[in-house]
Amino acid sequence: MTSKRMNVTKPKYQQIAVDVAAKIADQTFTVGDKIHARSTLANKYSVSPETARKAISVLVDLEIVQAKHGSGFYVHSMEKAKLFVDQYQDVQSIHDLKDDLIGSVKKQKEELSHFSEILDKLVDQTKRFDSFNPLNPVTFTLTADATHLEMTISELNLWQSTSATLIAIKHGDELLVSPGPYAKLTAGDTIYFVGHESTLQRVQNFFYPNA
């Protein structure tokens, strides 16, 4: 068993207590060994003697180290040292998992926000393209109230009147693509045309001038 790297978020004396316990658990310090708080721990961890004594006090309270009056501190239990280190590692694992989870959720939120921004831009650009793209076909269905019915395409002069370029006529189940000059429009027909942004309004006014 190797000693656990100390967590800098914990008080220094707790870090030292865990590290010493880990050394006892892996038998770097064996039962009966004397631990010199002032000369050994204070110097090793570059802390004050008081901090070193507080670390030893934690180990004494856990019965990992035993204090002998007038003699000092001695390693008492390897089993309790191992239990203390294992419990500490479990707590640290929980904290690490919690931090990882929080980090993952934060990252997902950031990615979702970024995805949402991209999606909004895509939708906005698509709407603009659909609205202003002159090659996007527009459909318009003629009712019996429409004017210019039973007239040929040549007679209508649709492009000259509306700037709409007729590309297809749907009559019932039949779709006539690129209708010739002699094709006629009847009630119920759907016309397909391309043009500019105002072309649809012009087509509506052309077939329904009094609407």
Side-chain angles (χ1 to χ4, degrees), residues 107-122:
K107 184 177 180 181
Q108 288 181 9
K109 285 183 178 179
E110 292 173 351
E111 291 177 347
L112 183 60
S113 176
H114 181 61
F115 174 78
S116 179
E117 290 177 4
I118 295 176
L119 183 60
D120 288 343
K121 289 180 181 179
L122 176 61

Side-chain angles (χ1 to χ4, degrees), residues 122-152:
L122 176 61
V123 170
D124 181 63
Q125 291 179 7
T126 300
K127 286 181 178 179
R128 288 189 177 190
F129 183 81
D130 288 343
S131 298
F132 301 113
N133 179 18
L135 298 180
N136 189 43
V138 180
T139 62
F140 189 79
T141 302
L142 302 171
T143 66
D145 296 328
T147 59
H148 308 298
L149 295 179
E150 302 301 329
M151 295 178 64
T152 65

Side-chain angles (χ1 to χ4, degrees), residues 71-84:
S71 179
F73 302 98
Y74 295 85
V75 176
H76 177 66
S77 175
M78 185 178 69
E79 290 75 15
K80 290 182 179 180
K82 185 178 185 305
L83 179 61
F84 173 50

Side-chain angles (χ1 to χ4, degrees), residues 25-46:
D26 65 16
Q27 298 185 20
T28 299
F29 298 146
T30 60
V31 174
D33 283 352
K34 184 174 182 178
I35 297 179
H36 301 277
R38 182 183 297 272
S39 61
T40 302
L41 299 186
N43 292 334
K44 176 178 175 58
Y45 296 103
S46 300

Side-chain angles (χ1 to χ4, degrees), residues 1-4 14-33 35 55-56 58-66 74-90:
M1 179 176 179
T2 58
S3 58
K4 181 176 177 61
Q14 289 186 16
Q15 299 174 39
I16 296 172
V18 172
D19 200 54
V20 172
K23 287 180 169 58
I24 295 171
D26 65 16
Q27 298 185 20
T28 299
F29 298 146
T30 60
V31 174
D33 283 352
I35 297 179
I56 293 298
V58 171
L59 299 176
V60 171
D61 291 340
L62 295 172
E63 298 181 352
I64 298 171
V65 169
Q66 186 178 53
Y74 295 85
V75 176
H76 177 66
S77 175
M78 185 178 69
E79 290 75 15
K80 290 182 179 180
K82 185 178 185 305
L83 179 61
F84 173 50
V85 173
D86 289 344
Q87 290 175 341
Y88 178 83
Q89 289 176 336
D90 288 342

Side-chain angles (χ1 to χ4, degrees), residues 191-203:
I191 61 174
Y192 295 75
F193 61 90
V194 295
H196 298 288
E197 186 177 358
S198 61
T199 301
L200 176 59
Q201 185 62 51
R202 292 181 182 181
V203 171

